[in-house]
Amino acid sequence: MNLIYNLPGLFIAIVFHELAHGYMAYVLGDNTAKNAGRLSLNPLKHLDPIGFICLLIFRFGWAKPVPINPLNFKNRKRDTILVSLAGPFVNFLIAILMSVIVFIIDISNPILRKILLITLWYNIMLGVFNLLPFPPLDGSKILASLLPGKLEYNFYRYERYLYIILVILIWTKSIDKILNPIISYVLDVLNIILNYLWSVIYGV
């Protein structure tokens, strides 16, 4: 039953995250994701079988990365940042939507409420995790694009070593010390948004 409860949240978090990357790239002039069939809501287009199983079992996994060709962008650095931010941004939007449905509209059905809360949690987790500046996460592309040319080149040149650091952080569970404060901050911001929406809707 827990697996059944988790699947909708996982599918929503992963599919919309990857779709957002591909669609933003398409808007900015890169058709690579579209030509690869990745501008789709079909989960099978985005899921990596092994990465998905690991996500279910170990709470850490991965999806198929959306193919992007930064050479098709008009402004490579700026547009790479926008594409990288698109996935986490959509995850946070979904988290806000789930919060509104659960806490403001007040869903009473316990099963539906649990599924929505799990979806909320997965989207916060995926959004925050992908903003960390370690390859191959979105945050690493944002950081690299903010660096001057030579530093950016060296960053990509040695990114495999930074990837090892990420694996070590996850394996030793030290990643929690990084993620937990950020997630707490996101939840605080989410609470502020919900309180504001509550006051606007109900005039309290």
Side-chain angles (χ1 to χ4, degrees):
M1 288 304 298
N2 283 333
L3 177 62
I4 294 174
Y5 291 144
N6 277 270
L7 284 178
L10 278 172
F11 285 151
I12 290 172
I14 292 173
V15 169
F16 280 91
H17 180 99
E18 299 300 334
L19 177 60
H21 285 315
Y23 185 74
M24 179 61 77
Y26 173 70
V27 169
L28 294 173
D30 178 28
N31 294 328
T32 307
K34 181 185 178 185
N35 295 336
R38 297 299 299 276
L39 301 188
S40 171
L41 289 173
N42 181 357
L44 297 179
K45 295 284 187 179
H46 304 287
L47 295 181
D48 179 282
I50 297 177
F52 186 66
I53 292 172
C54 288
L55 190 57
L56 286 174
I57 298 175
F58 304 112
R59 296 296 186 267
F60 168 73
W62 56 91
K64 293 179 184 176
V66 172
I68 302 295
N69 186 353
L71 296 179
N72 291 326
F73 296 146
K74 292 181 180 179
N75 185 322
R76 182 183 63 82
K77 282 179 172 288
R78 181 202 64 193
D79 295 348
T80 297
I81 292 174
L82 292 175
V83 170
S84 300
L85 285 172
F89 178 75
V90 166
N91 286 133
F92 293 139
L93 282 183
I94 294 173
I96 293 173
L97 177 61
M98 294 299 105
S99 300
V100 169
I101 294 173
V102 172
F103 298 110
I104 293 183
I105 298 178
D106 191 18
I107 298 297
S108 58
N109 184 291
I111 295 177
L112 179 57
R113 186 180 180 88
K114 182 173 182 177
I115 291 173
L116 292 174
L117 285 172
I118 291 172
T119 303
L120 163 65
W121 180 249
Y122 273 126
N123 276 279
I124 290 177
M125 284 292 295
L126 190 62
V128 170
F129 180 69
N130 271 280
L131 286 176
L132 297 181
F134 301 103
L137 304 178
D138 300 324
S140 69
K141 298 177 181 63
I142 296 171
L143 175 60
S145 298
L146 292 172
L147 296 174
K150 187 174 181 180
L151 288 177
E152 181 188 16
Y153 170 79
N154 287 327
F155 183 89
Y156 283 121
R157 182 182 178 186
Y158 297 107
E159 67 176 345
R160 60 185 180 276
Y161 301 112
L162 294 174
Y163 177 81
I164 293 173
I165 294 175
L166 176 62
V167 172
I168 292 172
L169 288 173
I170 294 170
W171 185 260
T172 60
K173 297 185 178 181
S174 299
I175 194 75
D176 293 340
K177 296 179 181 179
I178 301 174
L179 288 176
N180 289 342
I182 303 175
I183 291 173
S184 295
Y185 176 77
V186 171
L187 290 174
D188 288 341
V189 172
L190 186 58
N191 188 52
I192 292 172
I193 294 173
L194 288 176
N195 287 333
Y196 172 76
L197 292 175
W198 182 276
S199 66
V200 170
I201 295 172
Y202 296 104
V204 178

